[in-house]
Amino acid sequence: MLEYEKHKLSNGLRVLVHRDETTPMAAVNMLYDVGARDEDPERTGFAHLFEHLMFEGSVNVSRFDYQLQHAGGENNAFTTNDITNYYNTLPARNLETAFWLESDRMLGLAFSEEKLITQKNVVTEEYRQSYLNQPYGDAWLLMRPLAYREHPYRWATIGKNIEHIQNASLLEVRKFFTTFYHPANAILSVAGHVDPQKVFVLAEKWFGGIFPGNGYLRQLPAEPSQNEERKMMVERDVPQHQIYMAFHVCGRSHPDFHATDLLSDILSNGESARLPARLVHYRKAFSEINAYVTGNLDPGLLVISGMPHNEVDEQEAEDMLWQQAQELVAEPVTKRELQKVKNRVEATHTFAQSHVLSKAMNLAYYELQGDADRYNRQMDAYLGVTADDLQRIANRTFKRGNASILHYGRPARP
Amino acid sequence: MPNRKQPPPVHIVSDIPFIKPKGVKLDNGLPVYFLEGGTEEFVKIELVFFAGSYMQVKPLVSYATSNLLRTGTDRQNREEINELLDYYSAYLNLEAQKDIVSVSIHVLNKHLEPALQLLRDMLRNPVFPEDEMRSFLKNKQQIHLINQKKVQHLARTYFNELVYGEQHPYGYRLKPEDFECVERSDLQQFHQYWFYPENGFCIVSGRMPPKIEKTIASYFGGTDWKNIDKGKPPVYPLLTSGGRKVSLSVPEAMQSAIRIGKQLFNRTHPAYHRLKITNALLGGYFGSRLMQNIRQEKGYTYGIASNIVSLLRSGYFFIATQVGTDVSQFALEEIYNELKDLRCRPAGKDELQSLRNYLSGSFLRSFDGPFAQGERFKESLVFGLDFSHYEDYLKTLGSVTADEIMATAADYLNEDAMMEVVAGSQ
């Protein structure tokens, strides 16, 4: 049970605090309700580029990192298709430094044209390092537009291409800030050796005077339901073929989310799960195999990916994956199998509560989904899933007409 | 409104809440240390053996032996072991390093005993089935081939070879055919030689269930756990030759991976703490000179870092980055400039103070909770040290001067002595 106290400032900023006196540290997490899904389709990658710029100077602070490090702190941030999340850990005694810094960059940014150019270059190098200069690195740049036709999940957080990043202007940066970076669009959470009442006082002091900003009404195109199997083949200089299969599933807030998550666990959570046990160890047809749900706020994907050995025919390998999926449609999972994946979820949930940072992040993320208490209730939701639920969802999910399949492989054999 | 021009006061951390490890020795000679703490009902049990790749006479034997512990024991086959581990949600981690092998398990207290039983069987009575070994090595060979496509992987492996020589286990670079040369008997012998109580230790950390000491002793104690054949640690001379460069051509690479560094010493050396602080100033954190110059000012890279690595019989220093191929010459120049600067330009008052504050906060973070402390304790124990080693570091951090840092850089990090590997398109 993750205990916390909550307070909302008059400008709309939500503040959540968890007290843990066994640690000398504190984690300060600031979540902004903006992600790659909120981008202009002609300016993709912008939310992530913007995340970089948040470290390049605010109204009264020219060097965010320097000041936080000076207080013994460490920080980073990440951007997903749904959110932009900034986090700091520092000795709890220096908590106020994080409030000073986070509130100043919510108040307003102040950086130069040169810094924008430098960060565009840094992000371009990140694009190359993580997506283009890695074997299989561009697979998801291909998979997203295959699985999504309308919804903005069709592009990756890094952006559709490098040109979109290089074309971003200072004016667009300012507009993005005004639209998304204000108190009512943010959630602040703190976990660690802190007194919640004192944290609320600090929040009023540093964030209370920030202008609430104008509300943002999110209107995203819904993804039309898929009716035909989508297939794509690419040839690359890689040593081994890889197959990616994606099926549309519900979003995080849907009552079926937990069962969908467990369905992917049945397939690949742990070495004894079906895909590794049967296709890697028993049939020795694949060297690596994986299944997971993307866990997005809007309807997401259940993904199965695997690397068949070179002597295995690619289509036969794909058929083996289909066979495993269809078995979940045809037969209910065993009682012990279901208990096993529930036990694993329970352990993961408990392990996550041994770090102040993951506690702070979870508070903010679940508050965004409506109520931080969902975090505590989710274990019950997982435990309540039945074998019938899994079969019902498998039946709905594992259909040809709901599949997007990418064969990412070596040039065809002569 | 608060005065935003005035930063809130900053307190420097000087008191680290060290957990005092409770040490006992089991009847068979296995030392066990308990680090109690944490809020959640789970523990980590870690067994460490001095059975790293340094001890092997053939490539991959240490790696395969440790990873195949989970593929069959006298009681269960791989399938049964995996099913039980997953059912009891025990997270098993098998890690083979240069000097040690670590076998650890994270498990909820309510599932502790079945997890310990599995761990005990794996450590004491593994059978290393032939087909499991072949299949494991084949899968790892595939991953090895994929890694050969990554410039950073090439830079790392060629760099190690340059620093230690191809004959030395610290420098050996794996070849694809190595994955086909391992025999089952190699693993059996390696296990017999190195996995025994007196050649390792055990660390238990977390929120302990009652009678944990008795429980641990009942699974890992017993004088019948001993080795009949003892291995003899091999002896390899450490070669040193500075200033060599290797350039690897990877056609169509968009980035070059750069690695620059040299052989040094490990954490038992008197200058180690000073070197660690000097390294941090150069490239050990986001505010470091390398990161500020090469990423934040020039935008050549997504990231750059320098590190010092402690091995039982040596140690080394390296700088690593990936940069656009069009700017790799400029990046190299800047890196060498920063190395030169490190011994010529004293850290300013603010720069040094900031470094001190950051490192002390970072230190506190690295000791946060029983699992982090268990990790730090292990790192010291491997070198025959204890927590006083870290107290010495804190003292050095408090007293080190800008002149001492420059002297350390001059003694150990002279740019002319560096080895260099660049992997990318030219």
Side-chain angles (χ1 to χ4, degrees):
Chain A
M1 180 74 178
L2 181 56
E3 306 212 353
Y4 65 93
E5 290 182 42
K6 186 177 153 181
H7 175 68
K8 193 172 179 175
L9 305 191
S10 57
N11 58 16
L13 180 70
R14 288 160 280 177
V15 187
L16 296 100
V17 186
H18 163 76
R19 187 204 294 246
D20 175 357
E21 290 184 340
T22 66
T23 168
M25 305 298 296
V28 177
N29 191 79
M30 181 65 88
L31 182 155
Y32 287 94
D33 184 3
V34 56
R37 65 176 169 167
D38 299 306
E39 291 162 349
D40 177 344
E42 296 310 311
R43 276 291 182 279
T44 63
F46 203 91
H48 169 250
L49 172 65
F50 194 87
E51 172 214 311
H52 278 246
L53 297 171
M54 282 285 277
F55 293 92
E56 297 302 310
S58 58
V59 186
N60 301 287
V61 182
S62 62
R63 294 159 72 197
F64 184 99
D65 292 296
Y66 173 83
Q67 294 293 353
L68 191 75
Q69 285 157 5
H70 195 76
E74 211 158 66
N75 69 92
N76 213 330
F78 59 83
T79 307
T80 72
N81 296 80
D82 293 322
I83 61 165
T84 313
N85 195 70
Y86 301 83
Y87 55 93
N88 312 274
T89 55
L90 73 172
R93 292 179 66 189
N94 293 337
L95 181 69
E96 191 163 1
T97 301
F99 276 70
W100 170 53
L101 294 170
E102 284 296 350
S103 66
D104 207 62
R105 63 181 176 181
M106 187 187 279
L107 188 66
L109 293 184
F111 58 86
S112 60
E113 185 83 42
E114 291 79 54
K115 284 191 170 172
L116 174 61
I117 293 167
T118 307
Q119 287 308 310
K120 283 186 196 177
N121 290 339
V122 169
V123 172
T124 299
E125 290 308 320
E126 182 181 359
Y127 202 120
R128 289 177 176 159
Q129 181 170 326
S130 306
Y131 296 85
L132 303 182
N133 210 33
Q134 293 292 335
Y136 315 101
D138 64 340
W140 275 96
L141 300 180
L142 302 167
M143 271 302 277
R144 286 186 170 277
L146 190 65
Y148 290 102
R149 293 288 154 90
E150 297 292 332
H151 191 281
Y153 287 165
R154 69 184 186 273
W155 60 80
T157 52
I158 195 76
K160 286 180 192 168
N161 55 52
I162 288 176
E163 289 69 45
H164 279 195
I165 294 159
Q166 287 295 345
N167 289 338
S169 74
L170 206 51
L171 193 72
E172 289 168 312
V173 170
R174 291 211 181 93
K175 189 162 163 267
F176 197 83
F177 182 80
T178 323
T179 312
F180 297 108
Y181 281 73
H182 51 77
N185 208 42
I187 299 166
L188 172 67
S189 58
V190 179
H193 203 134
V194 297
D195 174 349
Q197 293 312 313
K198 288 183 182 161
V199 174
F200 295 144
V201 171
L202 279 181
E204 285 289 355
K205 174 179 172 186
W206 290 101
F207 291 92
I210 299 177
F211 183 69
N214 297 317
Y216 166 71
L217 184 63
R218 180 172 284 120
Q219 285 177 304
L220 303 178
E223 182 63 19
S225 67
Q226 184 181 337
N227 302 311
E228 78 300 328
E229 185 180 62
R230 295 172 188 162
K231 253 187 156 169
M232 187 179 184
M233 322 261 175
V234 293
E235 287 181 0
R236 296 279 194 277
D237 177 25
V238 287
Q240 209 177 342
H241 196 86
Q242 181 144 209
I243 303 169
Y244 299 82
M245 300 170 87
F247 302 90
H248 290 281
V249 292
C250 63
R252 234 171 209 286
S253 57
H254 194 281
D256 279 340
F257 176 76
H258 304 92
T260 311
D261 196 19
L262 290 186
L263 187 65
S264 72
D265 288 349
I266 294 277
L267 284 171
S268 97
N269 189 347
E271 287 290 304
S272 77
R274 291 188 179 193
L275 295 178
R278 297 176 180 183
L279 301 185
V280 177
H281 297 302
Y282 183 70
R283 294 189 62 176
K284 304 196 193 321
F286 286 78
S287 61
E288 293 246 304
I289 207 155
N290 205 359
Y292 59 93
V293 293
T294 52
N296 297 115
L297 296 178
D298 290 330
L301 301 171
L302 189 154
V303 179
I304 300 175
S305 68
M307 299 174 96
H309 285 297
N310 286 334
E311 65 273 16
V312 180
D313 177 78
E314 290 98 25
Q315 190 51 49
E316 267 171 49
E318 188 195 317
D319 293 343
M320 287 183 214
L321 297 176
W322 273 113
Q323 197 194 337
Q324 293 306 317
Q326 275 150 0
E327 217 171 288
L328 288 166
V329 179
E331 286 168 46
V333 300
T334 65
K335 214 172 143 189
R336 180 152 172 116
E337 228 181 343
L338 182 59
Q339 189 58 47
K340 183 179 73 178
V341 290
K342 288 179 180 177
N343 287 350
R344 282 180 73 87
V345 170
E346 185 195 11
T348 313
H349 185 75
T350 309
F351 296 165
Q353 290 183 56
S354 63
H355 303 284
V356 284
L357 183 57
S358 69
K359 287 193 274 198
M361 277 185 186
N362 279 318
L363 281 179
Y365 189 51
Y366 282 81
E367 178 67 19
L368 176 73
Q369 295 167 56
D371 174 9
D373 208 43
R374 289 172 72 104
Y375 179 72
N376 289 319
R377 291 198 306 266
Q378 67 167 350
M379 212 44 241
D380 288 336
Y382 278 112
L383 295 179
V385 171
T386 66
D388 286 347
D389 292 331
L390 295 187
Q391 201 173 7
R392 176 172 55 83
I393 290 161
N395 182 45
R396 192 171 66 201
T397 305
F398 298 129
K399 290 181 176 160
R400 296 274 170 185
N402 190 35
S404 301
I405 303 164
L406 170 66
H407 278 263
Y408 190 113
R410 304 179 302 160
R413 287 170 226 167
Chain B
M1 284 290 263
N3 179 2
R4 293 183 172 277
K5 298 280 174 211
Q6 182 68 44
V10 162
H11 310 272
I12 300 181
V13 184
S14 51
D15 46 333
I16 304 294
F18 289 114
I19 300 172
K20 199 174 155 40
K22 184 177 179 202
V24 296
K25 196 169 234 178
L26 303 188
D27 54 2
N28 55 24
L30 180 73
V32 186
Y33 301 89
F34 298 88
L35 286 91
E36 167 92 51
T39 56
E40 308 302 312
E41 293 286 333
F42 73 99
V43 287
K44 177 183 182 187
I45 319 279
E46 178 169 27
L47 285 108
V48 171
F49 298 95
F50 292 91
S53 58
Y54 188 89
M55 301 300 195
Q56 71 198 11
V57 288
K58 208 191 243 189
L60 288 166
V61 168
S62 161
Y63 178 63
T65 304
S66 47
N67 277 276
L68 288 159
L69 291 173
R70 66 181 299 161
T71 59
T73 66
D74 56 343
R75 285 179 210 246
Q76 275 121 355
N77 64 21
R78 185 214 10 95
E79 204 179 339
E80 291 159 339
I81 293 170
N82 283 340
E83 206 276 338
L84 288 167
L85 282 171
D86 287 351
Y87 187 81
Y88 292 112
S89 52
Y91 285 75
L92 174 69
N93 190 34
L94 303 168
E95 215 177 298
Q97 302 172 1
K98 298 263 194 295
D99 298 305
I100 58 163
V101 153
S102 153
V103 178
S104 70
I105 222 162
H106 279 85
V107 65
L108 298 179
N109 289 344
K110 64 178 180 183
H111 299 316
L112 178 62
E113 297 230 13
L116 287 177
Q117 182 65 48
L118 283 164
L119 196 56
R120 176 199 140 97
D121 291 343
M122 281 185 244
L123 286 169
R124 296 196 48 180
N125 304 309
V127 295
F128 305 114
E130 177 83 29
D131 60 330
E132 296 286 353
M133 184 189 79
R134 291 282 157 239
S135 150
F136 171 81
L137 290 168
K138 187 178 166 191
N139 291 347
K140 295 301 170 192
Q141 188 182 36
Q142 284 302 331
I143 293 170
H144 175 79
L145 292 173
I146 293 168
N147 284 337
Q148 299 306 305
K149 300 270 175 199
K150 298 179 180 171
V151 287
Q152 74 272 35
H153 181 86
L154 291 173
R156 181 170 64 242
T157 51
Y158 277 87
F159 175 78
N160 289 350
E161 184 181 88
L162 205 54
V163 171
Y164 286 107
E166 57 181 353
Q167 301 300 325
H168 197 282
Y170 290 165
Y172 183 75
R173 193 165 48 77
L174 281 172
K175 318 290 182 297
E177 57 273 21
D178 291 337
F179 292 83
E180 286 152 23
C181 296
V182 180
E183 301 297 331
R184 181 170 176 243
S185 55
D186 296 329
L187 310 190
Q188 289 169 317
Q189 191 190 53
F190 193 77
H191 177 260
Q192 177 60 237
Y193 276 4
W194 304 111
F195 287 71
Y196 63 96
E198 288 158 322
N199 190 42
F201 56 86
C202 173
I203 294 178
V204 183
S205 50
R207 192 162 163 177
M208 315 278 171
K211 297 187 187 155
I212 181 79
E213 286 181 39
K214 235 181 116 189
T215 311
I216 293 292
S218 73
Y219 285 96
F220 299 118
T223 48
D224 56 332
W225 187 11
K226 58 186 175 203
N227 65 334
I228 308 149
D229 285 326
K230 268 194 175 58
K232 218 176 122 213
V235 180
Y236 297 95
L238 277 170
L239 310 167
T240 47
S241 57
R244 284 191 296 150
K245 297 184 179 187
V246 167
S247 168
L248 300 163
S249 170
V250 181
E252 289 169 42
M254 289 182 177
Q255 287 186 318
S256 296
I258 297 174
R259 219 162 240 249
I260 291 171
K262 63 179 282 212
Q263 202 182 106
L264 279 171
F265 43 74
N266 67 22
R267 57 173 74 236
T268 58
H269 192 279
Y272 177 79
H273 296 317
R274 271 187 289 130
L275 180 69
K276 197 169 161 60
I277 296 162
T278 306
N279 171 68
L281 178 71
L282 175 71
Y285 72 120
F286 197 86
S288 68
R289 290 178 175 184
L290 283 172
M291 195 70 153
Q292 290 306 308
N293 179 355
I294 290 160
R295 171 179 151 138
Q296 291 300 86
E297 280 169 35
K298 308 285 190 325
Y300 290 157
T301 181
Y302 179 46
I304 181 163
S306 68
N307 266 296
I308 48 171
V309 176
S310 268
L311 298 166
L312 208 46
R313 295 160 183 88
S314 177
Y316 61 96
F317 158 84
F318 72 93
I319 298 167
T321 186
Q322 279 170 258
V323 301
T325 43
D326 48 330
V327 294
S328 63
Q329 279 314 313
F330 302 118
L332 282 169
E333 242 168 71
E334 288 299 332
I335 291 169
Y336 285 112
N337 283 342
E338 289 295 347
L339 277 170
K340 186 172 175 216
D341 244 24
L342 199 60
R343 59 185 167 84
C344 301
R345 177 163 64 94
K349 207 175 151 215
D350 282 357
E351 190 183 19
L352 185 58
Q353 190 58 49
S354 207
L355 177 72
R356 251 194 258 279
N357 291 7
Y358 169 73
L359 289 179
S360 61
S362 165
F363 189 79
L364 188 66
R365 191 171 11 255
S366 73
F367 275 81
D368 188 18
F371 306 107
Q373 296 220 10
E375 202 56 38
R376 299 291 87 74
F377 188 62
K378 174 182 82 180
E379 285 166 6
S380 61
L381 215 51
V382 166
F383 292 88
L385 304 163
D386 57 24
F387 275 162
S388 66
H389 170 66
Y390 297 109
E391 287 163 353
D392 291 344
Y393 168 72
L394 278 182
K395 275 183 217 145
T396 309
L397 184 59
S399 67
V400 73
T401 65
D403 286 344
E404 283 172 338
I405 289 177
M406 282 198 295
T408 307
D411 286 348
Y412 304 113
L413 302 177
N414 190 302
E415 65 278 12
D416 295 329
M418 294 293 160
M419 311 263 193
E420 173 192 303
V421 177
V422 179
S425 70
Q426 308 301 310

